[in-house]
Amino acid sequence: MKTRAIFVDFGGVLTTSVFEGFRAFARSIGVAPELPFRLLASDPLVNSAFIEFETGRLTDEHFETVMATALTEHGGTVEATGLLRRMRAGIQPDVAMIELIAGIKAAGHPVALVSNSLGRGCYDGVALDTLVDVAIVSGEVGLRKPSRAIYQLACRKLGVEPADVVMIDDLPHNIDGAHLAGIDGIVHGDAATTAEELATRFGVFPQLPPTPNRPTTIWRRPRSTHWMR
């Protein structure tokens, strides 16, 4: 059985549900729970700014202003300063999934983070330098999922062939993008089902709990919670 490399998403995979976190934020500012997603996906101005922001061509502050304006126009009570932090406030590290990835890496599988960024400090609370071998962040490389180019870059950085990679992501369209790059994938639901699928479909048998001599500082309780996709 060949050694599989693992690409893993951040928000919604190494953290709790982004959808539930955003819904909680929406309720806190007095708008419909699905409004933030609708604006990000369908509002021309917000969507365009979001793409530019995720690829590092727009600052945190500029995107916060665009998003705050749109939310206010839909009846929300919100100010721009610190908006991203408040949007991410309900998202927590998923310790079970972090331990799963740590076990996979300890078992000898190369691991890369492949994530669409949401601004400064998004990874606070997770020691990525220990958890993964390579971190590919959209805002740093100028590429974003589901473009096949970001997966191809991750393969080059990790030194693996696409056919030997499994992508774990909670968004089906990101898995579709991985498929276009020749990479198989798992639509993540929770740590238990993802671990089962890795084992049954791909022969990945992680060591859980991680081996005793492995550093255990892969998860830190953050001072504040952040989100990345």
Side-chain angles (χ1 to χ4, degrees), residues 171-203:
L171 299 179
H173 68 265
N174 287 339
I175 297 299
D176 292 340
H179 288 161
L180 293 176
I183 293 170
D184 214 333
I186 295 171
V187 179
H188 175 74
D190 57 55
T193 56
T194 291
E196 181 179 3
E197 193 164 359
L198 282 168
T200 58
R201 285 181 61 195
F202 303 108

Side-chain angles (χ1 to χ4, degrees), residues 125-200:
V126 178
L128 291 176
D129 55 343
T130 300
L131 186 62
V132 303
D133 298 296
V134 171
I136 305 297
V137 178
S138 67
E140 296 176 1
V141 301
L143 302 167
R144 67 192 287 270
K145 297 179 295 185
S147 168
R148 74 180 72 183
I150 194 169
Y151 305 104
Q152 293 167 337
L153 175 63
C155 286
R156 293 195 297 272
K157 292 291 186 180
L158 200 58
V160 297
E161 294 298 322
D164 295 332
V165 177
V166 180
M167 177 75 207
I168 304 171
D169 201 294
D170 63 320
L171 299 179
H173 68 265
N174 287 339
I175 297 299
D176 292 340
H179 288 161
L180 293 176
I183 293 170
D184 214 333
I186 295 171
V187 179
H188 175 74
D190 57 55
T193 56
T194 291
E196 181 179 3
E197 193 164 359
L198 282 168
T200 58

Side-chain angles (χ1 to χ4, degrees), residues 30-73:
V31 298
E34 304 303 319
L35 179 62
F37 307 109
R38 191 164 69 247
L39 292 174
L40 291 171
S42 303
D43 181 279
L45 184 60
V46 174
N47 178 257
S48 176
F50 186 52
I51 292 170
E52 293 293 295
F53 170 59
E54 282 196 320
T55 50
R57 294 189 288 269
L58 206 64
T59 66
D60 292 29
E61 292 76 14
H62 192 150
F63 176 74
E64 287 178 328
T65 297
V66 173
M67 187 68 173
T69 299
L71 289 167
T72 301
E73 289 173 351

Side-chain angles (χ1 to χ4, degrees), residues 88-147:
R88 301 183 297 235
I91 312 301
Q92 298 290 336
D94 185 331
V95 178
M97 192 62 195
I98 290 171
E99 290 294 327
L100 173 63
I101 295 301
I104 288 170
K105 185 171 180 285
H109 297 273
V111 179
L113 178 82
V114 183
S115 175
N116 286 352
S117 171
L118 261 189
R120 295 186 298 269
C122 287
Y123 295 115
D124 290 359
V126 178
L128 291 176
D129 55 343
T130 300
L131 186 62
V132 303
D133 298 296
V134 171
I136 305 297
V137 178
S138 67
E140 296 176 1
V141 301
L143 302 167
R144 67 192 287 270
K145 297 179 295 185
S147 168

